[in-house]
């Protein structure tokens, strides 16, 4: 189990580096933000969801988001049950084949990414046809870590709507991301 957790810690750090790259941040931003004084908090939970003869009258694990950062889940290879809410519909996650690790993001990554990565509502349904086992490893901030949106992901203060409208009038049918980046540059130039 110690070797398994050590390997998942490496995976979580690699995933955090890719997330940082995707966000345009320094590759160690998440790792540093999660570290606090003693490094990130890492924990593993093994959960067993027993077979249920009447799943229509029993809840498995009610809807929730995960509080932490990066969650690496090795779920049962035979019995389903995990579902995520996407666009108002519950989406069933199939059993893990070939030891596939499922990656989920928690509330602290939503804050750190200024909403670019979302913590997603999920639950576990009771199953009639077998017991389900899952092993979740949590790569979370340290208890004393200060969590806030990365400054690079915040809009600067103080641009005028009139300036935005001027830019908008010539870029209305272009990608809004480029327009927002132009406004950031303009606002940063005034500081």
């Amino acid at each position: 189990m110690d070797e398994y957790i050590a390997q998942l810690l490496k995976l979580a750090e690699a995933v955090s580096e890719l997330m940082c790259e995707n966000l345009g941040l320094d590759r160690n931003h998440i790792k540093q933000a999660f570290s606090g004084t003693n490094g990130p908090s890492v924990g593993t939970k093994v959960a067993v969801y027993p077979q249920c003869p009447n799943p229509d009258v029993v809840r498995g694990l009610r809807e929730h988001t995960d509080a932490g950062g990066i969650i690496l889940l090795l779920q049962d290879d035979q019995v389903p049950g995990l579902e995520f809410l996407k666009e108002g519909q519950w989406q069933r996650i199939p059993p893990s084949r070939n030891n596939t690790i499922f990656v989920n993001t928690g509330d602290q990554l939503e804050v750190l990414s200024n909403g670019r990565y979302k913590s997603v509502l999920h639950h576990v349904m009771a199953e009639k046809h077998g017991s389900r086992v899952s092993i979740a490893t949590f790569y979370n901030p340290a208890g004393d870590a200060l969590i806030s949106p990365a400054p690079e992901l915040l809009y600067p203060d103080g641009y005028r709507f009139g300036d935005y409208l001027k830019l908008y009038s010539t870029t209305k049918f272009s990608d809004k991301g480029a327009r927002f980046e132009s406004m950031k540059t303009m606002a940063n130039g005034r500081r």
Side-chain angles (χ1 to χ4, degrees), residues 97-168:
R97 302 285 185 217
N98 301 317
N99 297 318
T100 300
I101 302 292
F102 184 83
V103 179
N104 185 21
T105 52
D107 297 344
Q108 303 317 300
L109 268 179
E110 184 167 338
V111 170
L112 189 140
S113 71
N114 198 26
R116 287 177 173 85
Y117 285 108
K118 304 286 187 202
S119 59
V120 180
L121 197 62
H122 58 283
H123 62 201
V124 178
M125 301 302 294
E127 290 292 326
K128 187 173 190 170
H129 303 291
S131 295
R132 180 179 178 276
V133 176
S134 70
I135 303 172
T137 299
F138 301 88
Y139 181 76
N140 292 337
D144 65 342
L146 181 61
I147 301 299
S148 65
E152 300 90 333
L153 303 177
L154 296 173
Y155 284 102
D157 292 333
Y159 70 77
R160 289 182 193 87
F161 182 58
D163 293 337
Y164 181 80
L165 283 178
K166 286 178 190 172
L167 179 63
Y168 181 80

Side-chain angles (χ1 to χ4, degrees), residues 162-181:
D163 293 337
Y164 181 80
L165 283 178
K166 286 178 190 172
L167 179 63
Y168 181 80
S169 68
T170 61
T171 62
K172 179 177 183 173
F173 299 107
S174 300
D175 175 52
K176 70 178 176 185
R179 192 165 46 243
F180 291 154
E181 287 304 315

Side-chain angles (χ1 to χ4, degrees), residues 24-95:
L25 301 173
D26 175 82
R27 68 183 290 175
N28 291 313
H29 185 89
I30 292 171
K31 201 180 324 181
Q32 291 169 347
F34 281 17
S35 287
T37 54
N38 295 314
S41 174
V42 178
T44 297
K45 177 179 85 171
V46 178
V48 177
Y49 302 92
Q51 182 174 338
C52 178
N54 299 307
D56 50 326
V57 296
V58 174
R59 275 188 158 184
L61 180 62
R62 69 182 179 181
E63 301 82 25
H64 66 286
T65 59
D66 289 326
I70 297 172
I71 301 85
L72 303 172
L73 178 69
L74 177 62
Q75 63 173 353
D76 202 279
D77 64 350
Q78 301 291 316
V79 179
L82 179 63
E83 295 183 347
F84 277 73
L85 190 63
K86 181 180 178 184
E87 298 172 1
Q89 299 291 317
W90 287 105
Q91 304 295 317
R92 182 165 275 213
I93 305 302

